[in-house]
DNA sequence: TTGAAAGCGGTACCAG
DNA sequence: CTGGTACCGCTTTCAA
């Protein structure tokens, strides 16, 4: 009610600057954007600059992009799940690299949205690109919505490729396959594969499990386990009844947890049970025995960022599918 | 030139919907926003809805907020440094909670920007709130810029409170103090404090060090160390020449690394050297000896989010300073 | 060298 | 109940 129209300091606009400098809004725009096409006299420039400074004028990004007809927003849907240090670091790097290319990164939490709802919500922001890890399953129709709303690139990082989207394949299947192959090679047959109970990790865990399953000579069993001491202890306690001789523990962190539980249970690693991690974290090398792992070669954030940038500039130029991830087993002492 | 007005599928606007439905833009707006103040006949509503559906119409967020005069953007400046699992999780939670309150979270990487540049860049987006961890040091003037640009709340999470900003204090000093006090209590005097060499962590490490320094009875020495095996080994190798009898290793991860280096060097923990971590991560409990640590009680993301929400609704209502963090030492076997 | 004015896509007031 | 229209802040022709 008392929020009258005479509030003391409404946001200063370019019109305010123009008025103070005694010029037109056009001139303000020219000066502040260093327009090449127009020559403005030095005195005028100074007047405008000073006026802007004095008012603390800051241009309005929304107005500008409304006029321009496009944004430099890159939308990054985020899951609500801790995704592990390796991917967090990668995502960070990516964000950072995008900033350097002058994109504005918008993290958009999309919990519990359907593909349709998410696509609509994202499209409202008119992002120039969308990079989806796969927390939301996009349909071809969703991709179309995004593109119609001006997205020049819709990029999926998951294993599934959506029609119309650029698929930058980071195939977790490979990780599971490498792990299982390594274990088989070391003489193991009956292999347990840990599947985290934490919600949201299926994105990674399901393909890893599938990859292990697909490995010749391996007989694999899925082992649900939460990232808690209790859960690991419970699994270790019933281990002997499982008739397994090796385990691929999803990643190094779960592996550490499980290995400790085994040791507390009196099981010897790797004699009684071989343990394999993934992600090649530093902690794996600090454990005793040192943890064998699957090293994942991720693209650098800069690399993906420049791929995105190219896709934005020339949408057709980037191939639809593009392999980005390699996985290789590293043997240390736990297998 | 050839970008004629007849391009096949430019982004559909409300005018397109209106045309297709045979009504005015106003009516479209009313229907699509379920305007209470106006009664629209059911047949018309249906026509509009169908037209919108058919065209795949999605409103333009920028246009809307331009008209509205405000956004629901919460700007979250991000450092480019891996900030540790504890804080990452917190930030994630926060983001998530904000989304649920219908805010749009924009992560803004602000590497190498001065306070002035950052404030300007952020202000362009007209965020309704800014939550700064402290990667950028804001001046009172910067806060003013943000506020003038429409920010109803500028919140700093660091230890320093900036005039004009809401300071939600999460004081890392306390963490260092608790660690040192615990060590002193256990009979140690000459305490080493690990200071990560990784850039960007000073935000946490400097206050932790200062907190330790301020502790009565403790004689502390700063120990630069990188998060690598080599660096830890080097430190362990020259340990005996340091004349120290305990170490506060910055956090649990650095502690794990250093403890392993000590053990490889033949030093016994805690007999020869007491080791203390911080953050109370799960790995600390898995180590042998179990790692003593400083547990940090962070506010939940929901809590902070609702604080932000309140600050946005009623800027004056929230106190300028507000303590949010508590730290408590947990003794296990490494001290 | 500068200014007037037409929009970009929505929303909301005021008529009809 | 619905349509016309005036903005929101900025850029960019087109004239002067």
């Amino acid at each position: 009610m008392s929020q009258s129209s005479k509030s003391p300091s409404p946001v200063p606009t370019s019109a305010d600057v123009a008025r103070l400098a005694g010029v037109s809004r056009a001139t303000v725009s020219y000066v502040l954007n260093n327009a090449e096409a127009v020559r403005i006299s030095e005195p005028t420039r100074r007047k405008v600059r000073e006026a802007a400074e004095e008012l603390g004028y800051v241009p309005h990004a929304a107005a500008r992009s409304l006029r321009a007809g496009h944004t430099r927003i890159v939308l990054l849907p985020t899951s609500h799940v801790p995704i592990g240090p390796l991917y967090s670091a990668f995502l960070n790097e990516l964000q950072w690299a995008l900033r350097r290319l002058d994109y504005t990164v918008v993290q958009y939490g999309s919990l519990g949205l359907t593909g349709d709802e998410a696509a609509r919500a994202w499209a409202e922001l008119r992002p120039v690109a969308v990079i989806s890890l796969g927390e939301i399953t996009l349909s071809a129709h969703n991709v179309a919505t995004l593109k119609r709303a001006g997205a020049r690139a819709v990029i999926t990082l998951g294993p599934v490729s959506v029609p119309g989207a650029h698929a930058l394949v980071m195939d977790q299947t490979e990780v599971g396959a490498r792990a299982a192959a390594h274990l088989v090679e070391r003489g193991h047959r009956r292999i347990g594969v840990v599947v985290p109970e934490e919600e949201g990790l299926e994105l990674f865990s399901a393909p890893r499990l599938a990859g292990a399953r697909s490995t010749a000579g391996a007989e694999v069993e899925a082992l649900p386990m939460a990232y808690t001491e209790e859960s690991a202890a419970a699994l270790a306690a019933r281990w002997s009844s499982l008739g397994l001789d090796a385990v691929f523990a999803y990643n190094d962190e779960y592996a550490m947890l499980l290995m400790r539980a085994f040791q507390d249970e009196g099981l010897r690693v790797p004699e009684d049970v071989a343990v394999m991690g993934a992600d090649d974290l530093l902690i794996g090398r600090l454990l005793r025995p040192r943890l064998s792992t699957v090293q994942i070669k991720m693209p650098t954030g800069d690399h993906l960022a420049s791929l995105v940038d190219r896709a934005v500039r020339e949408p057709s130029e980037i191939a639809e599918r593009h392999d980005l991830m390699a996985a290789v087993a590293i043997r240390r002492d736990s297998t």
Side-chain angles (χ1 to χ4, degrees), chain A:
Chain A
M1 42 178 95
S2 66
Q3 181 99 299
S4 83
S5 53
K6 278 191 104 83
S7 358
S9 79
V11 192
T13 74
S14 75
D16 296 322
V17 177
R19 205 169 307 124
L20 182 57
V23 300
S24 76
R25 295 164 57 208
T27 306
V28 171
S29 179
Y30 291 142
V31 172
L32 264 27
N33 294 321
N34 296 313
E36 305 283 339
V38 199
R39 305 245 69 89
I40 306 275
S41 72
E42 200 45 56
T44 309
R45 306 184 92 91
R46 203 179 17 262
K47 272 194 308 188
V48 171
R49 294 232 157 82
E50 279 164 6
E53 181 67 29
E54 178 175 342
L55 293 176
Y57 169 71
V58 176
H60 192 306
R64 176 178 296 178
S65 61
L66 179 57
R67 171 66 226 231
H70 60 255
T71 69
R72 299 218 19 112
I73 291 176
V74 174
L75 197 139
L76 222 52
T78 55
S79 77
H80 57 302
V81 200
I83 215 81
L86 193 69
Y87 285 84
S88 302
F90 167 68
L91 247 27
N92 248 20
E93 220 182 277
L94 171 60
Q95 240 175 98
W96 182 238
L98 286 170
R99 270 277 340 132
R100 206 161 27 216
L101 291 172
D102 203 39
Y103 291 100
T104 299
V105 176
V106 175
Q107 300 245 142
Y108 205 103
S110 316
L111 177 71
L113 299 186
T114 67
D116 286 4
E117 294 165 333
R120 273 188 59 89
W122 301 345
E124 293 195 355
L125 298 178
R126 298 290 189 271
V128 70
V130 176
I131 306 179
S132 164
L133 253 174
E135 38 302 268
I136 299 277
T137 324
L138 270 354
S139 68
H141 177 248
N142 294 332
V143 174
T145 301
L146 258 5
K147 291 226 164 142
R148 204 178 322 108
R152 314 247 306 160
V154 177
I155 295 168
T156 57
L157 254 30
V160 270
S161 70
V162 181
H166 296 278
L168 264 23
V169 182
M170 312 214 307
D171 197 353
Q172 302 292 328
T173 302
E174 188 69 6
V175 177
R178 293 293 179 189
H182 172 79
L183 258 9
V184 167
E185 206 172 286
R186 302 286 304 160
H188 304 283
R189 287 290 169 272
R190 306 225 49 226
I191 300 173
V193 171
V194 169
V195 179
E197 286 174 352
E198 279 71 25
E199 212 167 339
L201 253 35
E202 315 88 26
L203 221 112
F204 295 82
S205 63
R208 286 185 186 188
L209 175 59
R213 282 236 159 85
S214 73
T215 302
E219 205 175 316
V220 345
E221 171 150 359
L223 266 17
M225 178 184 124
Y227 191 58
T228 64
E229 285 183 283
E230 296 70 32
S231 183
L235 178 53
R238 67 192 180 89
W239 185 259
S240 55
S241 72
L242 256 24
L244 267 21
D245 52 12
V247 61
F248 168 48
Y250 175 64
N251 76 6
D252 288 352
E253 295 184 310
Y254 283 78
M256 176 178 185
L257 184 57
L258 187 54
M259 200 156 86
R260 170 56 61 202
F262 281 149
Q263 289 172 335
D264 287 350
E265 190 72 20
L267 261 21
R268 289 166 311 159
V269 176
E271 293 82 358
D272 298 328
V273 48
V275 177
M276 182 108 194
D279 290 5
D280 190 27
L281 301 183
L282 180 50
I283 57 165
R285 263 166 287 160
L286 302 179
L287 300 179
R288 295 298 180 270
R290 278 175 240 268
L291 187 65
S292 294
T293 193
V294 178
Q295 184 182 50
I296 301 176
K297 301 291 281 180
M298 302 271 286
T300 64
D302 295 278
H303 183 61
L304 216 204
S306 83
L307 227 45
V308 171
D309 189 43
R310 240 175 313 156
V312 166
R313 304 174 108 95
E314 209 45 80
S316 49
E317 198 184 80
I318 301 280
E320 283 286 306
R321 306 189 98 251
H322 209 119
D323 264 306
L324 282 181
M325 215 181 75
V328 39
I330 298 185
R331 179 170 119 66
R332 291 208 263 260
D333 310 324
S334 68
T335 53

